[in-house]
Amino acid sequence: MSLLVTGSIGIDTVETPFGKRDDVLGGSAIYFSYAASFFTPVRLVGVVGEDAPASAFDVFKGRDVDTSGLEVRKGSKTFRWHGSFVKDMNEAVTVEVDLNVLAERAPAIPPRFVDSKYVFLANTHPALQQQMLASLSAPKLVVADTMNLWITTERPELAKLLKQIHGLVLNDGEARLLTEKKNLIDAGRAVLAMGPKFVVIKKGEHGSLLFTGDEVFTLPAYPTEKVVDPTGAGDSFAGGMMGYLSTQGSFSPPTIKRALAFGTVVATYTISDFSLGGLQSTSREAIDGRFAAFKNAMSF
Amino acid sequence: MSLLVTGSIGIDTVETPFGKRDDVLGGSAIYFSYAASFFTPVRLVGVVGEDAPASAFDVFKGRDVDTSGLEVRKGSKTFRWHGSFVKDMNEAVTVEVDLNVLAERAPAIPPRFVDSKYVFLANTHPALQQQMLASLSAPKLVVADTMNLWITTERPELAKLLKQIHGLVLNDGEARLLTEKKNLIDAGRAVLAMGPKFVVIKKGEHGSLLFTGDEVFTLPAYPTEKVVDPTGAGDSFAGGMMGYLSTQGSFSPPTIKRALAFGTVVATYTISDFSLGGLQSTSREAIDGRFAAFKNAMSF
């Protein structure tokens, strides 16, 4: 089924205890698209500046990612992020950020994408998220991400968005900020009360929580010693989750649970190398194998 | 089967965002014994001073905890701890601590306890742990706890202990300190290489990890919003784990996994109230019910 993602595309410089990479491809929509493409065809909508090298998107060659919704905007510059995980692999320190084209108008959703059934609105201004959602004809499952900035500065717009989506994915700090509740179980339930049918709280190396109806589902992280670069882990998690969901007919709690487990597994490949290297080194077979190992590692 | 625990018994003063309790019963051996007694008879060995109120151990009335190994030492004072969780429910700030009788010689293991098959050496000086272990005739399963202090100051004695025990339980910070490895999977494997057949790393509100042979098992925390006082959570976890293990004939990985899950569940009762209030309010039936809910909350 058609899975649409709109989100950031960036040129990253990343430092971790394992080294530094300059000017590598990054951004939420990029990680999401690659991760989701193990499961389903992906429609990518995003915008870069004219400084983006034409070869940047070669990573999607041979993959089922439709990049025709990619706008190369003349006179604009690509979003750039320079982050460091040298001190703490759990939290990036932003060394420098240039929003550039991300601070301008949102990219248009091409007419042939407006029938997309599965939609992931990666992190951006909640008014833009609503605008993009409004241009779709009949979405069946809409999931969004958000961040501290919008929770703090755009709460009314975010509140409106939350009433229009099926699922929200956010991290533990964002959930606490949004709900002003310290306990994550309280926080998850409070986000549910704001509108979404399900809420996923990502806890980084500590796994994730799913809230749906009265149910709380808890998932540990996949136990891995290979963490080279955490950039894109959350977006890959969302990509694996939405990719799997798009192949399913229903969104019952057991289906969403399996989707979270697939998201967790896909993210382990992302963090095992810099940029998209980890995702590029794996396959659907390897993912399925690790999914089985994950299930086994937590069954009792 | 007979489960022996040696550890601290204390009079605690505890502050949390939910209030303050002065002079309540605490200590690792106390929480452990109560938690384990839901599963199996417990033999408690510990020492208090003559200031301990005779009524302090009334909590064990009607429970299968043999307190005849409890020494009331004349001229000594009971261990006292004053801790605060007001700022952070995940980590106690020690306001005041008086080791008192804990700084003296260890309590003797009564002759009729020396045949104990299952043994938990709660946190104390590793030389004392070895001494107590040496006085047992034929232990079948020996598990120990330790802490930062001994890792830093008594590493050679701790190394000796690790070669004599089957299992070690420690928290994430202690595992990192002991192995000088940041990644917990690396750390767990490195502890295994020091001697024990299995290692449990407790991550507080983030669950636990089990290492045995080449296997890594991961368990999330039970998703609960009711956290009133975290004191004794780790000791209750160990008590539930060892209590369950003592009822099993084997210590295969699946058995240890189930034991960790029981430990996790029992600890949720401990943290739901001050001191032993949470454990006193529950029953084996309730624990089994929550165990089933926990299994369900993490199955996919």
Side-chain angles (χ1 to χ4, degrees):
Chain A
M1 294 294 282
S2 54
L3 169 60
L4 174 79
V5 57
T6 70
S8 67
I9 300 171
I11 300 177
D12 292 349
T13 294
V14 180
E15 297 170 76
T16 85
F18 297 89
K20 186 183 177 190
R21 291 294 180 280
D22 293 287
D23 300 337
V24 294
L25 185 62
S28 61
I30 297 294
Y31 282 104
F32 181 98
S33 296
Y34 206 109
S37 71
F38 288 106
F39 300 88
T40 197
V42 180
R43 296 166 166 183
L44 168 57
V45 172
V47 57
V48 293
E50 56 185 1
D51 57 334
S55 65
F57 304 100
D58 287 356
V59 288
F60 292 123
K61 271 190 184 153
R63 301 214 61 88
D64 212 345
V65 177
D66 187 336
T67 56
S68 64
L70 197 63
E71 181 189 346
V72 181
R73 196 169 292 169
K74 285 203 176 147
S76 294
K77 280 184 161 176
T78 306
F79 166 57
R80 283 182 182 261
W81 179 72
H82 178 174
S84 172
F85 290 95
V86 172
K87 282 207 181 142
D88 183 354
M89 284 292 258
N90 288 314
E91 204 174 342
V93 172
T94 295
V95 178
E96 203 176 341
V97 64
D98 298 305
L99 284 178
N100 294 328
V101 74
L102 287 195
E104 304 171 11
R105 69 180 186 283
I109 291 174
R112 59 195 206 86
F113 284 1
V114 300
D115 66 344
S116 298
K117 293 279 169 286
Y118 300 86
V119 181
F120 187 72
L121 304 169
N123 173 33
T124 188
H125 193 297
L128 290 186
Q129 287 175 311
Q130 289 175 74
Q131 200 180 308
M132 288 187 280
L133 182 54
S135 65
L136 299 173
S137 59
K140 194 172 159 187
L141 177 73
V142 180
V143 178
D145 193 359
T146 192
M147 72 181 291
N148 289 356
L149 177 63
W150 315 125
I151 295 170
T152 311
T153 64
E154 299 292 341
R155 195 173 277 262
E157 286 301 325
L158 185 58
K160 276 195 249 170
L161 175 74
L162 291 178
K163 295 195 194 311
Q164 299 169 49
I165 60 178
H166 302 99
L168 182 71
V169 176
L170 72 179
N171 70 34
D172 43 4
E174 292 159 357
R176 290 189 172 111
L177 184 66
L178 178 58
T179 62
E180 292 169 6
K181 297 200 181 287
K182 271 195 172 180
N183 180 289
L184 280 184
I185 311 298
D186 284 338
R189 293 205 165 118
V191 181
L192 266 192
M194 295 176 184
K197 296 265 179 282
F198 69 90
V199 174
V200 179
I201 299 183
K202 298 173 290 179
K203 301 189 293 171
E205 66 162 342
H206 299 301
S208 56
L209 292 166
L210 166 68
F211 301 83
T212 173
D214 290 333
E215 267 201 86
V216 183
F217 170 61
T218 172
L219 200 69
Y222 183 86
T224 181
E225 62 274 69
K226 206 177 173 196
V227 185
V228 170
D229 173 13
T231 308
D235 305 310
S236 304
F237 171 88
M241 180 187 97
M242 287 296 290
Y244 176 77
L245 280 178
S246 302
T247 65
Q248 304 297 305
S250 85
F251 316 121
S252 66
T255 307
I256 307 177
K257 286 178 182 184
R258 277 195 302 278
L260 257 70
F262 271 113
T264 301
V265 164
V266 172
T268 64
Y269 292 100
T270 301
I271 64 179
S272 72
D273 201 349
F274 283 97
S275 188
L276 294 170
L279 287 176
Q280 287 177 286
S281 73
T282 190
S283 66
R284 179 61 194 268
E285 288 74 30
I287 290 168
D288 287 346
R290 195 169 283 186
F291 179 89
F294 185 38
K295 207 171 146 82
N296 188 50
M298 53 181 289
S299 68
F300 59 84
Chain B
M1 293 293 285
S2 52
L3 169 59
L4 174 77
V5 57
T6 70
S8 66
I9 300 171
I11 300 176
D12 291 350
T13 294
V14 180
E15 296 171 75
T16 87
F18 297 90
K20 185 183 178 191
R21 292 293 182 282
D22 293 287
D23 300 338
V24 292
L25 185 62
S28 61
I30 296 295
Y31 282 104
F32 181 98
S33 295
Y34 206 109
S37 70
F38 288 107
F39 300 87
T40 197
V42 179
R43 295 166 168 185
L44 168 57
V45 171
V47 57
V48 293
E50 56 184 0
D51 57 334
S55 64
F57 305 99
D58 287 355
V59 288
F60 292 123
K61 271 190 184 155
R63 299 212 64 85
D64 211 345
V65 177
D66 186 336
T67 56
S68 64
L70 197 64
E71 180 190 342
V72 182
R73 195 171 291 169
K74 285 205 175 145
S76 295
K77 280 181 160 179
T78 304
F79 167 56
R80 284 184 181 261
W81 178 71
H82 178 175
S84 173
F85 290 94
V86 171
K87 283 208 178 141
D88 183 353
M89 285 294 256
N90 287 312
E91 205 175 339
V93 171
T94 295
V95 179
E96 202 177 343
V97 63
D98 298 303
L99 286 179
N100 294 329
V101 73
L102 287 195
E104 305 171 10
R105 70 180 185 283
I109 292 176
R112 61 198 204 83
F113 282 4
V114 300
D115 66 343
S116 298
K117 293 280 170 282
Y118 300 87
V119 180
F120 187 73
L121 304 168
N123 173 32
T124 188
H125 193 298
L128 290 186
Q129 287 175 310
Q130 290 176 74
Q131 200 180 311
M132 286 188 281
L133 183 53
S135 64
L136 300 173
S137 59
K140 195 173 159 185
L141 178 75
V142 180
V143 178
D145 193 358
T146 192
M147 74 180 290
N148 290 356
L149 177 63
W150 315 124
I151 296 171
T152 311
T153 64
E154 299 292 339
R155 197 174 275 261
E157 286 300 325
L158 185 58
K160 276 196 249 171
L161 176 74
L162 290 179
K163 295 194 193 312
Q164 298 170 50
I165 60 177
H166 302 98
L168 182 71
V169 177
L170 72 182
N171 71 34
D172 43 5
E174 292 159 357
R176 290 189 170 111
L177 184 66
L178 178 59
T179 63
E180 291 168 7
K181 296 201 181 288
K182 271 195 173 178
N183 180 288
L184 280 185
I185 311 298
D186 285 339
R189 293 205 165 118
V191 182
L192 265 193
M194 294 177 185
K197 297 266 178 280
F198 69 91
V199 174
V200 178
I201 298 182
K202 298 173 290 179
K203 302 189 292 170
E205 67 163 340
H206 300 301
S208 56
L209 293 165
L210 165 67
F211 302 81
T212 171
D214 290 335
E215 270 202 83
V216 183
F217 170 61
T218 173
L219 200 70
Y222 183 87
T224 180
E225 63 273 71
K226 205 177 171 196
V227 185
V228 171
D229 173 13
T231 309
D235 305 310
S236 303
F237 171 88
M241 178 188 97
M242 287 296 290
Y244 176 76
L245 280 179
S246 303
T247 65
Q248 303 296 305
S250 84
F251 316 122
S252 66
T255 307
I256 307 178
K257 286 177 181 183
R258 277 195 301 280
L260 258 70
F262 271 113
T264 300
V265 165
V266 172
T268 63
Y269 292 101
T270 301
I271 64 180
S272 72
D273 201 350
F274 283 96
S275 186
L276 294 171
L279 287 176
Q280 287 177 287
S281 73
T282 190
S283 65
R284 178 62 193 266
E285 287 73 31
I287 289 168
D288 286 347
R290 194 169 284 187
F291 179 89
F294 185 38
K295 207 171 148 84
N296 187 51
M298 54 181 288
S299 67
F300 60 88

